[in-house]
Amino acid sequence: MTYYEHVPFRENIPAYALGALDAEDVAPLEAHLQICASCRDELAAYRATSDSLLMALPPQQPSAALRRRLQRRLPNAQKAARPHLKWSFGRVAVGLAIVLLLTLNVFSILQVRALQSQQAQLTDQIQNGQMALAMLSYPNTQSFPIKEESVTGSLLLDKEYNNAVLILRGLPSIPEDQTYQIWLIAPNEERTSAGLLRPQTDLPFISEPIYSTHDLANFVGIGMTIEPAGGSDHPTGLQIFRIDF
Ligand SMILES: [Zn+2]
């Protein structure tokens, strides 16, 4: 059998693989598949590609050979070779099915990314909570209450291990272009930034440990202000609280 004798069957294989082939074309194709190994291989390749489009994250590229065959089937390539190509219901359905599969695939990837970012935030919160619990169990940890307007909470401070954690609740919600900024206060009232916060306003918030590069022994207090997104070099906005320790 020459290549050209396969062509009418080959064209129907993608639709058949997706169960979208016109009923009248199914029986002849199935009869041909019985006797033609190369068309069976073609069908297997389409099935593998449509399965992997559905199942695989990240998406798999079709093999180079299959891609070339798909490209030959694009309307422009077809137009040159066969001006009277009729787009049957089956072919349109295949096109729509492929678009749907690709859309689902992109949607799945975006969903996985969103879940990963949520998971990272939750992991941070759990780690911060464990740090706060551990600090409460140290005999030298001092606890300073915070009560300013709607904001309540505590500063846990362990000078011996150079560690501090803020537990806050009731922070007013702020617009996207603002951030909360923590400041360590030196004896001469100079401020050193100790990090930016954007907590969820309706949940108690436990900060990351405030110790990384700063020796807390050099400071006499801690404060928090509202600053433009990205933070400031020194406080410029509304002070939320100040604690002297
Ligand atoms: Zn064949």
Side-chain angles (χ1 to χ4, degrees):
M1 197 175 278
T2 70
Y3 174 76
Y4 289 101
E5 292 172 84
H6 292 277
V7 166
F9 301 112
R10 287 276 159 119
E11 283 183 347
N12 286 336
I13 285 175
Y16 183 73
L18 291 163
L21 185 59
D22 295 353
E24 69 205 46
D25 293 330
V26 169
L29 176 60
E30 284 181 342
H32 177 75
L33 286 169
Q34 296 281 330
I35 56 160
C36 180
S38 80
C39 283
R40 282 201 299 274
D41 289 344
E42 177 98 353
L43 176 61
Y46 273 104
R47 286 201 164 132
T49 303
S50 51
D51 283 354
S52 62
L53 278 172
L54 263 184
M55 305 302 293
L57 292 173
Q60 288 179 6
Q61 291 288 333
S63 73
L66 181 56
R67 237 166 87 156
R68 278 195 299 277
R69 289 202 294 278
L70 283 166
Q71 273 165 354
R72 278 204 299 272
R73 283 163 210 277
L74 286 175
N76 281 342
Q78 295 262 359
K79 223 179 273 166
R82 296 170 44 127
H84 300 300
L85 177 75
K86 181 171 133 270
W87 279 78
S88 67
F89 170 76
R91 292 204 182 88
V92 173
V94 171
L96 290 176
I98 289 172
V99 168
L100 180 66
L101 288 172
L102 291 172
T103 308
L104 281 171
N105 213 27
V106 169
F107 181 68
S108 310
I109 290 168
L110 293 178
Q111 260 189 331
V112 167
R113 292 223 178 110
L115 286 171
Q116 281 170 339
S117 127
Q118 269 180 16
Q119 192 187 28
Q121 282 175 20
L122 286 171
T123 306
D124 282 353
Q125 278 286 287
I126 290 168
Q127 281 173 350
N128 295 346
Q130 282 173 340
M131 171 64 79
L133 272 177
M135 285 188 73
L136 284 171
S137 72
Y138 299 152
N140 293 329
T141 296
Q142 296 170 275
S143 174
F144 299 86
I146 298 167
K147 182 98 190 81
E148 292 286 341
E149 308 277 332
S150 67
V151 183
T152 56
S154 301
L155 167 69
L156 303 181
L157 177 69
D158 183 347
K159 284 182 172 157
E160 189 185 352
Y161 288 106
N162 194 44
N163 204 354
V165 165
L166 283 167
I167 303 172
L168 297 168
R169 172 159 217 164
L171 287 169
S173 64
I174 49 175
E176 278 297 307
D177 59 353
Q178 293 186 333
T179 181
Y180 289 106
Q181 188 160 6
I182 302 171
W183 304 97
L184 291 168
I185 304 168
N188 65 0
E189 289 292 306
E190 229 172 74
R191 307 297 206 271
T192 301
S193 176
L196 308 177
L197 303 178
R198 275 204 67 91
Q200 274 186 282
T201 48
D202 48 345
L203 295 172
F205 175 80
I206 302 170
S207 77
E208 282 179 45
I210 303 163
Y211 64 115
S212 46
T213 55
H214 308 297
D215 186 351
L216 294 174
N218 296 332
F219 298 94
V220 296
I222 191 166
M224 192 162 90
T225 57
I226 297 178
E227 299 296 332
S232 304
D233 292 337
H234 56 89
T236 63
L238 179 71
Q239 179 175 293
I240 301 297
F241 65 80
R242 171 188 174 141
I243 301 159
D244 296 296
F245 51 72

